[in-house]
Amino acid sequence: KAGVTQTPRYLIKTRGQQVTLSCSPISGHRSVSWYQQTPGQGLQFLFEYFSETQRNKGNFPGRFSGRQFSNSRSEMNVSTLELGDSALYLCASSLTGTAAYEQYFGPGTRLTVT
Amino acid sequence: EDKVVQSPLSLVVHEGDTVTLNCSYEVTNFRSLLWYKQEKKAPTFLFMLTSSGIEKKSGRLSSILDKKELSSILNITATQTGDSAIYLCAVDRGSQGNLIFGKGTKLSVKP
């Protein structure tokens, strides 16, 4: 069974631009969660989608948004990029999203904002 | 505000040493505590501890949950260079799999 895939793996953007990251969950998984990982703050929860609906949201500004498609693939978008948005963005998928230990993480997208 | 604190932030040991990593938490709604190993990018699941199961063991790794002290430890015995990684502690607060993570402990095992 293929794992969670994320594209692109690396990205360099300039301040003020916007970016879209993609996550394809494990086949059959309907829940996708997004996390931001930085050296200073560690891993922080962004939001979780289940069946195309956002079920839970972390404490991030509105510049961070996401969506989920009918095939469970998910995208997250960051608008008006800031230097502080440089991070590793991880997504995790699970069957229903009700059991945290069932989450499988993808390899992440490394975003660098210059 | 809910928080998870790990210590130490980094640790350097030699092969064969035993290490203990610490995790303490303050959360309003505790469902379980999880440990992950992150070697390059994707964290991989190690253990889950709940109020009904406070000790887990897998090979050289073991973990204990102290419900009274709101903390957990991860022990690694006879460390190997392959144990070098960031070890993450997270608490599941029960709301649709929303995890709150500590900042991690970076373990380096020297030959």
Side-chain angles (χ1 to χ4, degrees), chain B residues 18-44:
Chain B
T18 294
V19 297
T20 298
L21 310 182
N22 301 285
C23 175
S24 63
Y25 59 90
E26 292 180 30
V27 299
T28 51
N29 184 29
F30 175 89
R31 185 158 86 169
S32 63
L33 184 143
L34 298 91
W35 284 96
Y36 291 86
K37 179 182 182 182
Q38 186 176 26
E39 290 180 83
K40 290 182 180 178
K41 295 289 175 65
T44 53

PDB file of all heavy atoms in Angstrom, chain B residues 18-44:
ATOM      1  N   THR B  18      22.518   4.073  27.903  1.00  0.00           N
ATOM      2  CA  THR B  18      21.071   4.107  28.115  1.00  0.00           C
ATOM      3  C   THR B  18      20.634   5.554  28.262  1.00  0.00           C
ATOM      4  O   THR B  18      21.303   6.330  28.947  1.00  0.00           O
ATOM      5  CB  THR B  18      20.683   3.307  29.372  1.00  0.00           C
ATOM      6  OG1 THR B  18      20.964   1.920  29.160  1.00  0.00           O
ATOM      7  CG2 THR B  18      19.189   3.465  29.671  1.00  0.00           C
ATOM      8  N   VAL B  19      19.558   5.923  27.596  1.00  0.00           N
ATOM      9  CA  VAL B  19      19.081   7.300  27.673  1.00  0.00           C
ATOM     10  C   VAL B  19      17.629   7.339  28.135  1.00  0.00           C
ATOM     11  O   VAL B  19      16.868   6.390  27.922  1.00  0.00           O
ATOM     12  CB  VAL B  19      19.186   8.013  26.301  1.00  0.00           C
ATOM     13  CG1 VAL B  19      20.619   8.109  25.858  1.00  0.00           C
ATOM     14  CG2 VAL B  19      18.324   7.338  25.264  1.00  0.00           C
ATOM     15  N   THR B  20      17.288   8.448  28.780  1.00  0.00           N
ATOM     16  CA  THR B  20      15.911   8.689  29.223  1.00  0.00           C
ATOM     17  C   THR B  20      15.475  10.050  28.724  1.00  0.00           C
ATOM     18  O   THR B  20      16.122  11.057  29.010  1.00  0.00           O
ATOM     19  CB  THR B  20      15.809   8.649  30.753  1.00  0.00           C
ATOM     20  OG1 THR B  20      16.191   7.342  31.216  1.00  0.00           O
ATOM     21  CG2 THR B  20      14.374   8.937  31.196  1.00  0.00           C
ATOM     22  N   LEU B  21      14.409  10.063  27.971  1.00  0.00           N
ATOM     23  CA  LEU B  21      13.858  11.300  27.452  1.00  0.00           C
ATOM     24  C   LEU B  21      12.585  11.613  28.224  1.00  0.00           C
ATOM     25  O   LEU B  21      11.803  10.719  28.541  1.00  0.00           O
ATOM     26  CB  LEU B  21      13.538  11.155  25.955  1.00  0.00           C
ATOM     27  CG  LEU B  21      14.658  10.601  25.074  1.00  0.00           C
ATOM     28  CD1 LEU B  21      14.218  10.574  23.623  1.00  0.00           C
ATOM     29  CD2 LEU B  21      15.940  11.369  25.258  1.00  0.00           C
ATOM     30  N   ASN B  22      12.382  12.904  28.496  1.00  0.00           N
ATOM     31  CA  ASN B  22      11.273  13.309  29.340  1.00  0.00           C
ATOM     32  C   ASN B  22      10.222  14.117  28.578  1.00  0.00           C
ATOM     33  O   ASN B  22      10.547  14.865  27.660  1.00  0.00           O
ATOM     34  CB  ASN B  22      11.787  14.163  30.498  1.00  0.00           C
ATOM     35  CG  ASN B  22      12.795  13.435  31.339  1.00  0.00           C
ATOM     36  OD1 ASN B  22      12.455  12.562  32.128  1.00  0.00           O
ATOM     37  ND2 ASN B  22      14.065  13.771  31.163  1.00  0.00           N
ATOM     38  N   CYS B  23       8.988  13.955  29.017  1.00  0.00           N
ATOM     39  CA  CYS B  23       7.877  14.689  28.426  1.00  0.00           C
ATOM     40  C   CYS B  23       6.878  15.011  29.529  1.00  0.00           C
ATOM     41  O   CYS B  23       6.438  14.110  30.248  1.00  0.00           O
ATOM     42  CB  CYS B  23       7.209  13.857  27.333  1.00  0.00           C
ATOM     43  SG  CYS B  23       5.722  14.605  26.626  1.00  0.00           S
ATOM     44  N   SER B  24       6.543  16.280  29.681  1.00  0.00           N
ATOM     45  CA  SER B  24       5.510  16.662  30.653  1.00  0.00           C
ATOM     46  C   SER B  24       4.419  17.420  29.913  1.00  0.00           C
ATOM     47  O   SER B  24       4.674  18.023  28.860  1.00  0.00           O
ATOM     48  CB  SER B  24       6.095  17.518  31.775  1.00  0.00           C
ATOM     49  OG  SER B  24       6.591  18.727  31.266  1.00  0.00           O
ATOM     50  N   TYR B  25       3.211  17.388  30.429  1.00  0.00           N
ATOM     51  CA  TYR B  25       2.110  18.009  29.712  1.00  0.00           C
ATOM     52  C   TYR B  25       1.120  18.683  30.667  1.00  0.00           C
ATOM     53  O   TYR B  25       0.984  18.283  31.818  1.00  0.00           O
ATOM     54  CB  TYR B  25       1.386  16.969  28.846  1.00  0.00           C
ATOM     55  CG  TYR B  25       0.822  15.797  29.617  1.00  0.00           C
ATOM     56  CD1 TYR B  25      -0.471  15.817  30.129  1.00  0.00           C
ATOM     57  CD2 TYR B  25       1.597  14.654  29.837  1.00  0.00           C
ATOM     58  CE1 TYR B  25      -0.982  14.745  30.829  1.00  0.00           C
ATOM     59  CE2 TYR B  25       1.090  13.569  30.541  1.00  0.00           C
ATOM     60  CZ  TYR B  25      -0.186  13.623  31.039  1.00  0.00           C
ATOM     61  OH  TYR B  25      -0.690  12.552  31.741  1.00  0.00           O
ATOM     62  N   GLU B  26       0.506  19.708  30.122  1.00  0.00           N
ATOM     63  CA  GLU B  26      -0.611  20.368  30.798  1.00  0.00           C
ATOM     64  C   GLU B  26      -1.675  20.571  29.741  1.00  0.00           C
ATOM     65  O   GLU B  26      -1.517  21.407  28.845  1.00  0.00           O
ATOM     66  CB  GLU B  26      -0.195  21.732  31.351  1.00  0.00           C
ATOM     67  CG  GLU B  26       0.784  21.710  32.499  1.00  0.00           C
ATOM     68  CD  GLU B  26       1.132  23.120  32.963  1.00  0.00           C
ATOM     69  OE1 GLU B  26       0.275  24.025  32.842  1.00  0.00           O
ATOM     70  OE2 GLU B  26       2.265  23.314  33.430  1.00  0.00           O
ATOM     71  N   VAL B  27      -2.703  19.757  29.778  1.00  0.00           N
ATOM     72  CA  VAL B  27      -3.780  19.869  28.793  1.00  0.00           C
ATOM     73  C   VAL B  27      -5.113  19.772  29.499  1.00  0.00           C
ATOM     74  O   VAL B  27      -5.235  19.124  30.539  1.00  0.00           O
ATOM     75  CB  VAL B  27      -3.678  18.775  27.696  1.00  0.00           C
ATOM     76  CG1 VAL B  27      -2.389  18.897  26.934  1.00  0.00           C
ATOM     77  CG2 VAL B  27      -3.835  17.391  28.290  1.00  0.00           C
ATOM     78  N   THR B  28      -6.115  20.369  28.906  1.00  0.00           N
ATOM     79  CA  THR B  28      -7.430  20.396  29.528  1.00  0.00           C
ATOM     80  C   THR B  28      -8.179  19.084  29.320  1.00  0.00           C
ATOM     81  O   THR B  28      -9.008  18.702  30.136  1.00  0.00           O
ATOM     82  CB  THR B  28      -8.261  21.549  28.963  1.00  0.00           C
ATOM     83  OG1 THR B  28      -8.230  21.474  27.531  1.00  0.00           O
ATOM     84  CG2 THR B  28      -7.690  22.887  29.401  1.00  0.00           C
ATOM     85  N   ASN B  29      -7.883  18.410  28.232  1.00  0.00           N
ATOM     86  CA  ASN B  29      -8.596  17.171  27.940  1.00  0.00           C
ATOM     87  C   ASN B  29      -7.612  16.127  27.428  1.00  0.00           C
ATOM     88  O   ASN B  29      -7.255  16.127  26.262  1.00  0.00           O
ATOM     89  CB  ASN B  29      -9.688  17.439  26.892  1.00  0.00           C
ATOM     90  CG  ASN B  29     -10.525  16.208  26.628  1.00  0.00           C
ATOM     91  OD1 ASN B  29     -10.680  15.373  27.496  1.00  0.00           O
ATOM     92  ND2 ASN B  29     -11.073  16.105  25.426  1.00  0.00           N
ATOM     93  N   PHE B  30      -7.166  15.247  28.306  1.00  0.00           N
ATOM     94  CA  PHE B  30      -6.159  14.245  27.943  1.00  0.00           C
ATOM     95  C   PHE B  30      -6.841  12.965  27.513  1.00  0.00           C
ATOM     96  O   PHE B  30      -7.692  12.430  28.231  1.00  0.00           O
ATOM     97  CB  PHE B  30      -5.264  13.973  29.150  1.00  0.00           C
ATOM     98  CG  PHE B  30      -4.262  12.868  28.933  1.00  0.00           C
ATOM     99  CD1 PHE B  30      -3.017  13.157  28.411  1.00  0.00           C
ATOM    100  CD2 PHE B  30      -4.573  11.546  29.247  1.00  0.00           C
ATOM    101  CE1 PHE B  30      -2.088  12.144  28.211  1.00  0.00           C
ATOM    102  CE2 PHE B  30      -3.652  10.523  29.045  1.00  0.00           C
ATOM    103  CZ  PHE B  30      -2.401  10.825  28.537  1.00  0.00           C
ATOM    104  N   ARG B  31      -6.425  12.466  26.326  1.00  0.00           N
ATOM    105  CA  ARG B  31      -6.946  11.164  25.910  1.00  0.00           C
ATOM    106  C   ARG B  31      -5.811  10.137  25.854  1.00  0.00           C
ATOM    107  O   ARG B  31      -5.968   9.002  26.271  1.00  0.00           O
ATOM    108  CB  ARG B  31      -7.638  11.252  24.556  1.00  0.00           C
ATOM    109  CG  ARG B  31      -8.294   9.931  24.141  1.00  0.00           C
ATOM    110  CD  ARG B  31      -9.381  10.116  23.125  1.00  0.00           C
ATOM    111  NE  ARG B  31      -8.862  10.136  21.768  1.00  0.00           N
ATOM    112  CZ  ARG B  31      -9.657  10.067  20.691  1.00  0.00           C
ATOM    113  NH1 ARG B  31     -10.953   9.991  20.824  1.00  0.00           N
ATOM    114  NH2 ARG B  31      -9.127  10.112  19.480  1.00  0.00           N
ATOM    115  N   SER B  32      -4.665  10.559  25.309  1.00  0.00           N
ATOM    116  CA  SER B  32      -3.529   9.639  25.248  1.00  0.00           C
ATOM    117  C   SER B  32      -2.259  10.436  24.999  1.00  0.00           C
ATOM    118  O   SER B  32      -2.302  11.597  24.607  1.00  0.00           O
ATOM    119  CB  SER B  32      -3.718   8.598  24.144  1.00  0.00           C
ATOM    120  OG  SER B  32      -3.771   9.219  22.873  1.00  0.00           O
ATOM    121  N   LEU B  33      -1.125   9.787  25.229  1.00  0.00           N
ATOM    122  CA  LEU B  33       0.173  10.393  24.958  1.00  0.00           C
ATOM    123  C   LEU B  33       0.891   9.496  23.958  1.00  0.00           C
ATOM    124  O   LEU B  33       0.886   8.268  24.089  1.00  0.00           O
ATOM    125  CB  LEU B  33       0.987  10.526  26.248  1.00  0.00           C
ATOM    126  CG  LEU B  33       2.346  11.239  26.137  1.00  0.00           C
ATOM    127  CD1 LEU B  33       2.598  12.079  27.384  1.00  0.00           C
ATOM    128  CD2 LEU B  33       3.467  10.266  25.900  1.00  0.00           C
ATOM    129  N   LEU B  34       1.504  10.112  22.976  1.00  0.00           N
ATOM    130  CA  LEU B  34       2.149   9.356  21.914  1.00  0.00           C
ATOM    131  C   LEU B  34       3.608   9.755  21.783  1.00  0.00           C
ATOM    132  O   LEU B  34       3.965  10.924  21.998  1.00  0.00           O
ATOM    133  CB  LEU B  34       1.451   9.608  20.575  1.00  0.00           C
ATOM    134  CG  LEU B  34      -0.016   9.182  20.466  1.00  0.00           C
ATOM    135  CD1 LEU B  34      -0.947  10.325  20.868  1.00  0.00           C
ATOM    136  CD2 LEU B  34      -0.354   8.736  19.064  1.00  0.00           C
ATOM    137  N   TRP B  35       4.422   8.803  21.436  1.00  0.00           N
ATOM    138  CA  TRP B  35       5.828   9.048  21.122  1.00  0.00           C
ATOM    139  C   TRP B  35       6.076   8.713  19.645  1.00  0.00           C
ATOM    140  O   TRP B  35       5.592   7.697  19.144  1.00  0.00           O
ATOM    141  CB  TRP B  35       6.747   8.180  21.979  1.00  0.00           C
ATOM    142  CG  TRP B  35       6.890   8.634  23.395  1.00  0.00           C
ATOM    143  CD1 TRP B  35       6.195   8.186  24.480  1.00  0.00           C
ATOM    144  CD2 TRP B  35       7.805   9.629  23.881  1.00  0.00           C
ATOM    145  NE1 TRP B  35       6.616   8.839  25.623  1.00  0.00           N
ATOM    146  CE2 TRP B  35       7.608   9.726  25.284  1.00  0.00           C
ATOM    147  CE3 TRP B  35       8.776  10.446  23.293  1.00  0.00           C
ATOM    148  CZ2 TRP B  35       8.337  10.598  26.089  1.00  0.00           C
ATOM    149  CZ3 TRP B  35       9.496  11.316  24.085  1.00  0.00           C
ATOM    150  CH2 TRP B  35       9.273  11.385  25.473  1.00  0.00           C
ATOM    151  N   TYR B  36       6.848   9.605  18.991  1.00  0.00           N
ATOM    152  CA  TYR B  36       7.225   9.412  17.598  1.00  0.00           C
ATOM    153  C   TYR B  36       8.740   9.532  17.461  1.00  0.00           C
ATOM    154  O   TYR B  36       9.396  10.211  18.239  1.00  0.00           O
ATOM    155  CB  TYR B  36       6.596  10.486  16.702  1.00  0.00           C
ATOM    156  CG  TYR B  36       5.099  10.411  16.545  1.00  0.00           C
ATOM    157  CD1 TYR B  36       4.252  11.024  17.463  1.00  0.00           C
ATOM    158  CD2 TYR B  36       4.525   9.745  15.460  1.00  0.00           C
ATOM    159  CE1 TYR B  36       2.884  10.965  17.312  1.00  0.00           C
ATOM    160  CE2 TYR B  36       3.145   9.692  15.308  1.00  0.00           C
ATOM    161  CZ  TYR B  36       2.341  10.306  16.234  1.00  0.00           C
ATOM    162  OH  TYR B  36       0.975  10.257  16.083  1.00  0.00           O
ATOM    163  N   LYS B  37       9.248   8.889  16.421  1.00  0.00           N
ATOM    164  CA  LYS B  37      10.656   9.021  16.040  1.00  0.00           C
ATOM    165  C   LYS B  37      10.701   9.685  14.677  1.00  0.00           C
ATOM    166  O   LYS B  37      10.028   9.252  13.737  1.00  0.00           O
ATOM    167  CB  LYS B  37      11.316   7.640  15.969  1.00  0.00           C
ATOM    168  CG  LYS B  37      12.784   7.658  15.563  1.00  0.00           C
ATOM    169  CD  LYS B  37      13.335   6.241  15.473  1.00  0.00           C
ATOM    170  CE  LYS B  37      14.807   6.240  15.121  1.00  0.00           C
ATOM    171  NZ  LYS B  37      15.343   4.854  14.996  1.00  0.00           N
ATOM    172  N   GLN B  38      11.489  10.750  14.561  1.00  0.00           N
ATOM    173  CA  GLN B  38      11.597  11.456  13.287  1.00  0.00           C
ATOM    174  C   GLN B  38      13.059  11.443  12.864  1.00  0.00           C
ATOM    175  O   GLN B  38      13.890  12.145  13.431  1.00  0.00           O
ATOM    176  CB  GLN B  38      11.081  12.898  13.410  1.00  0.00           C
ATOM    177  CG  GLN B  38      11.039  13.636  12.097  1.00  0.00           C
ATOM    178  CD  GLN B  38      10.437  15.037  12.247  1.00  0.00           C
ATOM    179  OE1 GLN B  38      10.487  15.637  13.304  1.00  0.00           O
ATOM    180  NE2 GLN B  38       9.866  15.561  11.170  1.00  0.00           N
ATOM    181  N   GLU B  39      13.351  10.632  11.843  1.00  0.00           N
ATOM    182  CA  GLU B  39      14.742  10.497  11.409  1.00  0.00           C
ATOM    183  C   GLU B  39      15.102  11.492  10.323  1.00  0.00           C
ATOM    184  O   GLU B  39      16.125  12.138  10.396  1.00  0.00           O
ATOM    185  CB  GLU B  39      14.994   9.073  10.916  1.00  0.00           C
ATOM    186  CG  GLU B  39      14.968   8.056  12.037  1.00  0.00           C
ATOM    187  CD  GLU B  39      15.225   6.655  11.555  1.00  0.00           C
ATOM    188  OE1 GLU B  39      16.403   6.289  11.399  1.00  0.00           O
ATOM    189  OE2 GLU B  39      14.235   5.922  11.340  1.00  0.00           O
ATOM    190  N   LYS B  40      14.282  11.587   9.328  1.00  0.00           N
ATOM    191  CA  LYS B  40      14.578  12.550   8.266  1.00  0.00           C
ATOM    192  C   LYS B  40      13.418  13.510   8.100  1.00  0.00           C
ATOM    193  O   LYS B  40      13.534  14.696   8.342  1.00  0.00           O
ATOM    194  CB  LYS B  40      14.882  11.817   6.965  1.00  0.00           C
ATOM    195  CG  LYS B  40      16.198  11.070   6.982  1.00  0.00           C
ATOM    196  CD  LYS B  40      16.487  10.389   5.670  1.00  0.00           C
ATOM    197  CE  LYS B  40      17.810   9.655   5.735  1.00  0.00           C
ATOM    198  NZ  LYS B  40      18.099   8.936   4.462  1.00  0.00           N
ATOM    199  N   LYS B  41      12.297  13.019   7.695  1.00  0.00           N
ATOM    200  CA  LYS B  41      11.167  13.915   7.506  1.00  0.00           C
ATOM    201  C   LYS B  41       9.928  13.427   8.260  1.00  0.00           C
ATOM    202  O   LYS B  41       9.456  14.070   9.169  1.00  0.00           O
ATOM    203  CB  LYS B  41      10.870  14.059   6.012  1.00  0.00           C
ATOM    204  CG  LYS B  41      11.974  14.738   5.225  1.00  0.00           C
ATOM    205  CD  LYS B  41      12.037  16.201   5.551  1.00  0.00           C
ATOM    206  CE  LYS B  41      13.208  16.918   4.888  1.00  0.00           C
ATOM    207  NZ  LYS B  41      13.095  16.925   3.423  1.00  0.00           N
ATOM    208  N   ALA B  42       9.387  12.277   7.829  1.00  0.00           N
ATOM    209  CA  ALA B  42       8.099  11.822   8.365  1.00  0.00           C
ATOM    210  C   ALA B  42       8.253  11.204   9.752  1.00  0.00           C
ATOM    211  O   ALA B  42       9.002  10.243   9.925  1.00  0.00           O
ATOM    212  CB  ALA B  42       7.464  10.808   7.419  1.00  0.00           C
ATOM    213  N   PRO B  43       7.567  11.736  10.766  1.00  0.00           N
ATOM    214  CA  PRO B  43       7.571  11.071  12.078  1.00  0.00           C
ATOM    215  C   PRO B  43       6.929   9.692  11.970  1.00  0.00           C
ATOM    216  O   PRO B  43       5.920   9.523  11.285  1.00  0.00           O
ATOM    217  CB  PRO B  43       6.712  12.001  12.949  1.00  0.00           C
ATOM    218  CG  PRO B  43       6.721  13.317  12.248  1.00  0.00           C
ATOM    219  CD  PRO B  43       6.794  12.986  10.794  1.00  0.00           C
ATOM    220  N   THR B  44       7.521   8.737  12.653  1.00  0.00           N
ATOM    221  CA  THR B  44       6.943   7.391  12.691  1.00  0.00           C
ATOM    222  C   THR B  44       6.517   7.073  14.113  1.00  0.00           C
ATOM    223  O   THR B  44       7.224   7.389  15.070  1.00  0.00           O
ATOM    224  CB  THR B  44       7.923   6.321  12.183  1.00  0.00           C
ATOM    225  OG1 THR B  44       9.151   6.451  12.922  1.00  0.00           O
ATOM    226  CG2 THR B  44       8.225   6.510  10.724  1.00  0.00           C
TER     227      THR B  44
END
